Structures are given as C-alpha cells and as structure tokens.
C-alpha cells in the first residue's frame, strides 16, 4: 500500500543566512564629481578666513597699517555682529580701483608668487575684503590725497551694489561691516550664545598699540563716550605698555635683547620686555611680532614658560612682549588661513637662543625682588604708622584685574628694611616705642656711619683685625649684604631671605660677632672716660655676674664667673681680645630676662589668688576646701614691661642690627658650620615638589 506524502515546505532561512545575504555588497555607481557654484566656493572660503568678528577687525587694522596710517579708530556694536567700523588716515583707495576692490585675489601687495619671498606688508592674498562681502554687508568710504571729495560704495558677494557716490570724507578710508554672518545661521547663533567678542577685539588692539608705537589707536563700543583702548603715538615702548596694560605691569618689566648673525644656524634680532620675578598673574600674556606681523608661536611660548617655571610660582604666568626681525626670505607667511602663524627657517635654533637669553636675564634679575608692604595696626615691633587697614589700598603686580591675596605675596626686596613678618598678623594695638622720626634718625645714622680709615696704631689690634678680614666667608658676606629681613622665628633665630633661599640666623651670635669686630675696628676711636682712681674691673664684673644670678646663695658657678671676669692683662693681644669679647657679649642682643609674653609663656604673668566663697563667710566652721575659689589675675605692669622689652629688642634687630651688619660685618668662616646660618628652604626646590603634588 502506497502512502501519499505531502510535499515538504522549505525551512525558513536562519539569522546567519540573513546576515550573510545582507553583507553581500550591492553594486552602486560612484558619486559624480561636479564643479561647485562660485557663490558656494566663496562662502566656504569666507567662513575660513573670517572665523569670528575679531578676525575681521584684525584684517582691517592690518590693511590700515599697510596704508601707512598714523591713526586707527575702531567702533564695535554687539560684539561685532551688528557693526564693525574701522577708520584710518592712510593713503586711501583710488577711484579706479573701487570696482575690483572686493573681488577675490585682487591686491596691491604683490604681483608674482616670488614676491612672497620678500613680502613686508601684512596682507597679500586679496581675500579678506572679499570674504567679508560674502558674510556681511560692507560699505567703503575713501578719499585720496589731492581729491576734493571722497567716494562711498557698498559691496555684496564681491561686487559693487551701485556705482561709487561722491561724498564728504576725511583723509583715509572707513570700512563698515554690518550684520556679520547674516547668511550663516549656525555660526551666528554660536557667536550669539558664546561670550562677547568685544574683549577679544580690545585685546587685539592693545597688542597692536604696544608694537606700533607711532600710531594712535582707539577702540570703543558703539554709542559709548569713552574708549576702552586709547593710545597716542610715543617714542617709548614702555610708556605704551604702561598706557595699555597699566602701571602694575610696566613697573615689573625688564628689557631683553638677543641676536645672531651666524648664517649656518640662524640670523635674527630680538628685543622686547619681559616680566620679572615680582609680576603675578594667572594667565600668560605673550605678544609676539615677527617682522612686524602679529603671530603666535606655540613652540616658542612653551620654551619660555619652561624657563619661567623655575622662577615663578606654579600659579603665576609671565608677561612677554617680543619683536623678532628676520630676513624676509627666512619667513614663510603663507601657512595659515588667517595668517596667525608663520614658519621660520632654523626655527629650533632661534628658539633655543631666545630661551637661553631669557634664562640668563631671569637668573640675573632674580638677585633682587620687591614686595608690597602692608600697612597694619601698630604692633609690638616698634614705632610705625598708625593707619587702619581699611585705608590701605596696595597696588599688586600683574594684570589690572588681578588681585593677589596677602598670603601669596613673596617678600624679597633686599633694599627695603620696612617689611616684617608680623605685619601680616592681626595683633592688638600697642603703645609706640618712639616716634616715626626716631626710626629715620636711627637709619640715617647707621647708613652715614663708616668704619675709620685707619685702625689703632697697635700691632696687636692690627693683627686681630687682619685675622677677621682673612677669615671672612665670601658666601655669607653676599647673603648678609643683599638679604631681606622677614621677622623673628623665635627668641633667638631670625628669618632672612636671599634670592630664592630662606635662612635662619642666630641673632645673638650675629650681634656678638658684630660688636666684637666693631670694638676692634674702632679701638682707640672711642671717647676717653676720665676716672680719678683705678677701677677694680674684676671685682665689678664679678658683682655684675652675681647680680644677674637669681640664686645668689649658690656658689657652684663661681669658677665659671672667675674665668669670665678674668682677663690676661700681661699679654697685650690676649688682653685686647678679651676686652673686645667681653664688650661684645655685653652689647649683644640677648633675649630679655622676662619670658616672651607670646605663646605659653603668658602663664608667667598670671597671678593665682585664693578667696573664700562669699556665701560661706558666715559659716566658717563648716567651710570645706572646695569652697575656696582660685582666681587668676594678670600682672599688667609686669606684662607691659615684658612686651616693651621684647618689642624694643625686635625693633633693634630689624632697624639697627641688620642695617649695621650690611655695612660693617665680615662673617667668619665658622658661622657657616656652627649653626649661626641655616638654610631652611629653596623656592626652586619647593616649586618642583609642589608640581609633583
């Protein structure tokens, strides 16, 4: 029996089979290449040349400079989107050139490609004005020398909208761009939503103004009565920088120059102004002109920042104005659509030489720095001004808008002794130790004093003086001469800054050695004291030593007192040396006998008194120990005496000791190793450590 079978249906395709089928490429014809419409080409090119309003201003200002203008005025509305107007007093545009003025690749700057090798003008492509007409409405008003009237004409898409019309005009050319990017919706919205371009335009004009110092520049917003940039022609570039960037920048600049005429490596001349170690800003300002062309050079900027990194704090950046002049054939100006960058022949060698010049200049300038003195309430340091903090309006280094916190001010002026560490601390007012004139008198007397031209006519004194001079440490001598007094670190050590190093100095040892040297150098130059009868020096010194001893009943140190009081009267040299040492120890700035009132020592000036609880006065028989109240009272008289003594000592250290040390002191070699001078910090090493954090 045959069974009839139903025909089998084919199974559905699997997923893998479907993917393989889809992976098989379907043959398509390649897209056809066609020529773009000229208007599309022009608008694409225009968007590349005129990227934002500041780009248009740059092109127009450079055209004005090429026209030998001596005055350039810029007016801007809505960040340049509504209106950009640039007026100059240059040579103007010929009437017959107006029809092709805004066509692409029309220029008066060059005729052949080889002319680029010796080009000196800012513009050369003939694209800027044409690009502006494709993205905005351009109106040109111009007059040339000898004409009775000027001409005004409007342009759109590179061609005139009408014939030039006669009009009244002043010398030069005025170009007005309205509704910039009106036909580029995406870009216009981007610029409207972003920050206003006006600050960029102000910065651009500021950079031109400090380089082209023979040209008057002004820039203002439309409708504003006052210009945000206003400079007049000057013969001093530093004055131009001061006028544009402010006094706080100009006073912290130093001139720099470098040059090389080695044809095999590099040929260039560079001059400019760079910030010193006192300049403080959070952003690097670098104004670079190469062959009078405002450009940027990332490699050069980075090389200079590396040099500054070892000198300035990590958060601070330099101000740099630099003009480099090279042979025209060594510069390729045609590498960027907006001419913002150029290519230099032997660029690496030039950058290396400029970097070396910066490094040398900064290393030499780092030997002296200035700091801003803060006027505070009078403190225990001695006499000073009594003005309130609110009256103090310090001027800080850096850009006009930068304000540096007090704790970031680096105190480094070796010539200004008025700064001190406690000036940054808030302390309660204290009575003056003297008038302001006292400080002036003391400083004047110290500065006017000079060592006697000749020492005493004694062989022993001359030998001792010769030993001092022969044993002098030159390194410590340099530190002492050019140091800055910062303040007292504790009762014995003072903080000094020399260059970028911080030192602790033992003022007792320092003052003792200074007095010793002064006694020897002025030996026989002191006024004589007439005494009727010989004075028993040894007995007087013993009495003085015992008077200072708190425990007068203890005789354990009598042997030591005998040695201190004993002087070898038989040997002349030893005798004079002993006398000088004793006088030096007497006049040295030892800490006062009373403890320093600051810190934990304040407890010394508190009196403890016990008193009975008033409620228990009538019940004395039942009073307990717990009813006794311990009261602490401050001995104000003793405290005032201590504060006065310590303040007088610190005042003398700052205003008497260190000025005298700078003039007369010859530090012995032993002070470099006996702990009198101890280096505690080096800014260069600290910055490297902080940068790792």
């Amino acid at each position: 029996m045959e069974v009839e079978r139903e025909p089998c249906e084919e199974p559905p395709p699997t997923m893998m089979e479907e993917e393989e089928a889809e992976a098989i490429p379907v043959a398509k014809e390649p897209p056809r290449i066609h020529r773009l419409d000229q208007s599309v080409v022009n608008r694409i090119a225009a968007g590349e040349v005129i990227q934002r309003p500041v780009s248009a201003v740059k092109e127009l200002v450079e055209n004005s400079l090429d026209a030998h203008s001596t005055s350039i005025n810029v007016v801007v509305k809505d960040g340049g989107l509504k209106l950009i107007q640039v007026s100059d007093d240059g040579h103007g545009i010929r009437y017959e050139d107006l029809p092709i003025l805004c066509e692409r690749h029309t220029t008066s700057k060059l005729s052949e490609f080889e002319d680029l090798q010796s080009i000196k003008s800012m513009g050369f492509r003939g694209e800027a004005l044409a690009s502006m007409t494709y993205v905005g409405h351009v109106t040109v008003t111009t007059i040339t020398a000898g004409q009775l009237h000027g001409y005004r004409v409007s342009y759109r898409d590179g061609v005139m909208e009408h014939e030039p019309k006669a009009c009244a005009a002043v010398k030069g050319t005025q170009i007005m761009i309205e509704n910039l990017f009106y036909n580029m919706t995406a870009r216009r919205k981007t610029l409207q939503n972003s920050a206003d371009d006006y600050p960029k335009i102000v910065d651009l004009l500021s950079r031109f103004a400090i380089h082209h110092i023979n040209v008057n520049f002004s820039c203002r917003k439309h409708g504003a009565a006052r210009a945000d940039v206003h400079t007049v022609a000057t013969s001093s570039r530093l004055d131009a920088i001061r006028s544009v960037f402010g006094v706080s920048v100009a006073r912290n600049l130093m001139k720099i120059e470098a040059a090389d005429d080695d044809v095999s490596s590099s040929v260039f001349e560079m001059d400019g102004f760079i910030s010193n170690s006192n300049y403080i800003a959070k952003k690097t300002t670098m104004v670079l002109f190469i062959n009078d062309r405002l450009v940027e050079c990332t490699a050069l900027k980075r090389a200079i920042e590396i040099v500054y990194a070892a000198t300035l704090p990590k958060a601070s950046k330099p101000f740099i104005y630099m003009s480099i002049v090279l042979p025209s054939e060594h510069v390729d100006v045609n590498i960027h659509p907006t001419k913002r960058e150029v290519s230099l022949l032997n660029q690496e060698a030039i950058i290396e030489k400029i970097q070396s010049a910066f490094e040398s200049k900064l290393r030499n300038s780092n030997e002296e720095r200035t700091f801003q003195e803060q006027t505070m309430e009078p403190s225990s340091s001695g006499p000073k001004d009594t003005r309130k903090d609110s009256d103090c309006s310090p001027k800080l280094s850096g850009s006009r808008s930068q304000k540096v916190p007090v704790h970031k001010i680096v105190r480094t002026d070796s010539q200004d002794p008025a700064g001190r560490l406690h000036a940054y601390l808030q302390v309660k007012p204290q009575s003056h130790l003297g008038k302001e004139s006292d400080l002036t008198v003391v400083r004047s007397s110290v500065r006017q004093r000079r060592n006697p031209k000749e020492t005493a006519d004694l062989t022993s004194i001359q030998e001792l003086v010769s030993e001092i001079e022969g044993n002098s440490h030159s390194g410590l001598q340099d530190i002492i001469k050019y140091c800055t007094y910062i303040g007292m670190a504790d009762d014995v050590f003072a903080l000094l800054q020399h260059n970028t190093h911080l030192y602790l100095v033992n003022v007792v040892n320092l003052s003792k050695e200074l007095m010793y040297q002064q006694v020897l150098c002025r030996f026989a130059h002191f006024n004589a004291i007439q005494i009727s009868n010989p004075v028993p020096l040894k007995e007087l010194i013993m009495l003085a030593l015992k008077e200072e001893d708190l425990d007068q009943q203890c005789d354990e140190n009598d042997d030591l007192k005998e040695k201190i009081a004993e002087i070898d009267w038989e040997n002349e040299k030893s005798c004079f040396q002993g006398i000088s040492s004793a006088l030096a120890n007497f006049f040295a700035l030892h800490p006062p006998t009373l403890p320093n009132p600051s810190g934990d020592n304040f407890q010394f000036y508190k009196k403890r008194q016990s008193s009975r609880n008033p409620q228990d006065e009538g019940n004395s028989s039942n009073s307990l120990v717990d009813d006794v109240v311990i009261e602490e009272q401050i001995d104000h008289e003793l405290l005032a005496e201590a504060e006065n003594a310590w303040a007088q000592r610190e005042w003398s250290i700052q205003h008497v000791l260190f000025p005298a040390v700078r003039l007369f002191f010859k530090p012995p070699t032993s002070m470099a190793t006996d702990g009198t001078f101890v280096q505690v910090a080096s800014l260069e090493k600290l910055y490297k450590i902080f940068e790792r954090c």
Side-chain angles (χ1 to χ4, degrees), residues 252 254 275-280 308 311-313 362 365-370 410 412 500:
N252 290 316
M254 50 189 177
S275 58
N276 57 25
S277 305
N278 305 306
Y279 177 82
I280 301 174
Y308 270 93
T311 305
L312 296 181
L362 289 174
S365 71
N366 199 33
E367 294 180 358
E368 92 173 29
R369 296 177 64 184
T370 59
V410 180
T412 46
T500 55

Side-chain angles (χ1 to χ4, degrees), residues 411-573:
R411 319 170 13 76
T412 46
D413 187 0
S414 61
Q415 303 303 323
D416 186 356
R420 47 260 181 199
L421 187 63
H422 54 69
Y424 296 90
L425 304 176
Q426 292 289 345
V427 295
K428 61 180 181 179
Q430 300 288 342
S431 59
H432 284 309
L433 299 175
K435 297 180 180 179
E436 185 68 27
S437 59
D438 296 339
L439 177 58
T440 306
V441 171
V442 171
R443 286 180 181 170
S444 177
S445 62
V446 170
R447 289 170 180 169
Q448 292 176 1
R449 253 185 259 143
R450 292 294 183 267
N451 282 318
K453 295 181 180 179
E454 297 180 358
T455 57
D457 190 15
L458 296 170
T459 304
S460 57
I461 294 296
Q462 292 178 354
E463 289 178 357
L464 291 172
V465 172
S466 297
E467 289 176 3
I468 292 173
E469 294 177 348
N471 194 35
S472 178
H473 192 287
S474 59
L476 294 180
Q477 180 80 41
D478 184 68
I479 293 174
I480 284 294
K481 189 174 181 181
Y482 299 106
C483 70
T484 300
Y485 174 81
I486 296 177
M488 294 299 295
D490 57 17
D491 297 347
V492 176
F493 284 92
L495 277 172
L496 300 181
Q497 182 168 339
H498 176 257
N499 289 347
T500 55
H501 302 296
L502 197 64
Y503 296 89
L504 282 174
V505 180
N506 189 316
V507 294
V508 177
N509 294 350
L510 190 67
S511 59
K512 188 185 298 184
E513 182 65 26
L514 173 66
M515 296 303 173
Y516 172 74
Q517 295 180 10
Q518 286 299 292
V519 170
L520 291 177
C521 292
R522 297 173 182 275
F523 206 92
H525 290 274
F526 297 106
N527 295 329
I529 300 176
Q530 298 294 335
I531 300 177
S532 57
N533 297 319
V535 177
L537 294 177
K538 180 178 178 180
E539 296 178 12
L540 291 177
I541 294 174
M542 285 293 295
L543 288 174
L545 291 171
K546 288 184 177 181
E547 182 69 22
E548 292 184 356
D549 196 341
L550 297 178
D551 187 4
Q552 298 185 6
Q553 303 298 326
C554 181
D555 296 330
E556 293 180 0
N557 294 327
D558 281 351
D559 293 339
L560 177 60
K561 295 171 184 174
E562 288 282 351
K563 292 181 181 179
I564 296 175
E566 188 67 45
I567 293 178
D568 186 357
W569 301 100
E570 302 299 329
N571 185 292
E572 181 182 89
K573 182 176 179 181

Side-chain angles (χ1 to χ4, degrees), residues 609-623:
Q609 294 183 349
S610 60
S611 61
R612 193 175 300 278
N613 194 324
Q615 298 178 356
D616 297 332
E617 290 181 355
N619 188 17
S620 58
S621 59
N622 298 329
S623 63

Side-chain angles (χ1 to χ4, degrees), residues 61 65 68-72 122 204-218 229-245 253 255 271-273 287 289 292 319 321-323:
V61 170
L65 292 171
H68 307 292
S69 304
T70 60
S71 179
I72 301 175
M122 308 295 169
L204 175 74
L205 268 293
S206 300
R207 293 168 182 260
F208 276 119
I210 66 173
H211 180 73
H212 299 279
I213 57 177
N214 58 335
V215 180
N216 302 329
F217 286 91
S218 74
V229 176
H230 180 71
T231 64
V232 295
T234 177
S235 59
S236 170
R237 195 172 309 282
L238 194 59
D239 288 343
I241 295 175
R242 184 181 295 108
S243 174
V244 174
F245 290 94
L253 298 182
K255 188 172 181 60
D271 69 277
F273 287 91
V287 183
F289 282 82
D292 293 329
F319 177 96
Y321 161 77
M322 192 170 15
S323 175

Side-chain angles (χ1 to χ4, degrees), residues 616-651:
D616 297 332
E617 290 181 355
N619 188 17
S620 58
S621 59
N622 298 329
S623 63
L624 300 175
V625 177
D626 293 340
D627 294 331
V628 176
V629 179
I630 304 299
E631 296 181 355
E632 290 186 347
Q633 294 183 352
I634 298 175
D635 189 338
H636 293 286
E637 183 177 352
L638 187 63
L639 178 61
E641 180 182 350
E643 289 177 340
N644 186 71
W646 281 92
Q648 181 64 56
R649 176 176 181 259
E650 184 173 351
W651 189 86

